[in-house]
Amino acid sequence: MRPYITHRQALPPVELESLRDALLGSRFVARSPLMGTFQASRGFAFIFTHEGRSTLEARFPFLRAYLARVLAPESARGLRPWRERLFGSRQPAPNAFYLNLLLLDAGKGVGRHIDATLQGPSGVPDATPRHVSVLYLQMPEGARGGALRLLHDNRDVGEVRPRPGLLVHFQGHLQHEVQPFLGARDDSQRASLVCEQYVFAPDALARLPPFRIQSKAGFAAYLDAQRERTDTGNT
């Protein structure tokens, strides 16, 4: 079983640029809603299930092409054991997701951790993702460092150097960390979109909201979003 796989250009450059601009320009960007090793980062996040995906795409239509690419079963097929790939046996598809915009300034990183964001909401104390998907939206030109390090039992199993358009899928039980980067300017920013993909039993899945935004931007951001939906006739 491979620890990770990569796709060199997950989205056409024009679509990638449009996605990046929409996310970085969102009213919901603020200090990260995640705690611990993410305290130096900024961004916002969504919890959603298959049931809530249509709501997410209706409210944030610029995510549709990204979701179609990242959530497609064949996209992460290379992570499956070779026997499953050869003989066609199928595992249950992920049915719950945590989607996080991760923004890091020059000199900032994310410490070693295992993703488990939906443990609390699902009520499953040992829940980890089936796999995690990372799309790199922006890496300052000429920046040094910023690699994603992957580890198993504190032993290195891979290192991914970010560049815009690169999509990485890695096994959800792996430890990982983001190394700080040095930018050509002090305002340089590294941007990625991280999707934790989980498989839950029906009882745990029922505890999750079909769709929820997580942001520390303040109540005004939610009011503005509600006004915008009302003005455009969306519900």
Side-chain angles (χ1 to χ4, degrees), residues 116-197:
T117 315
L118 294 187
Q119 281 188 0
S122 69
V124 181
D126 58 349
T128 56
R130 164 73 59 76
H131 61 271
V132 180
S133 308
V134 182
L135 176 67
Y136 293 103
L137 302 170
Q138 176 175 287
M139 189 68 185
E141 187 174 352
R144 304 185 305 279
L148 170 68
R149 289 187 62 211
L150 301 169
L151 308 97
H152 180 60
D153 291 336
N154 295 311
R155 297 192 303 272
D156 286 324
V157 296
E159 182 174 291
V160 178
R161 298 192 177 279
R163 65 174 184 81
L166 180 68
L167 173 63
V168 183
H169 298 292
F170 63 87
Q171 299 287 350
H173 66 274
L174 294 179
Q175 301 163 301
H176 52 285
E177 61 189 35
V178 178
Q179 298 176 329
F181 74 92
L182 299 177
R185 305 195 318 266
D186 290 341
D187 61 349
S188 297
Q189 194 171 62
R190 174 191 188 276
S192 58
L193 196 53
V194 183
C195 186
E196 303 173 20
Q197 303 198 34

Side-chain angles (χ1 to χ4, degrees), residues 106-120:
K108 305 297 184 181
V110 176
R112 190 172 303 181
H113 66 284
I114 296 175
D115 288 332
T117 315
L118 294 187
Q119 281 188 0

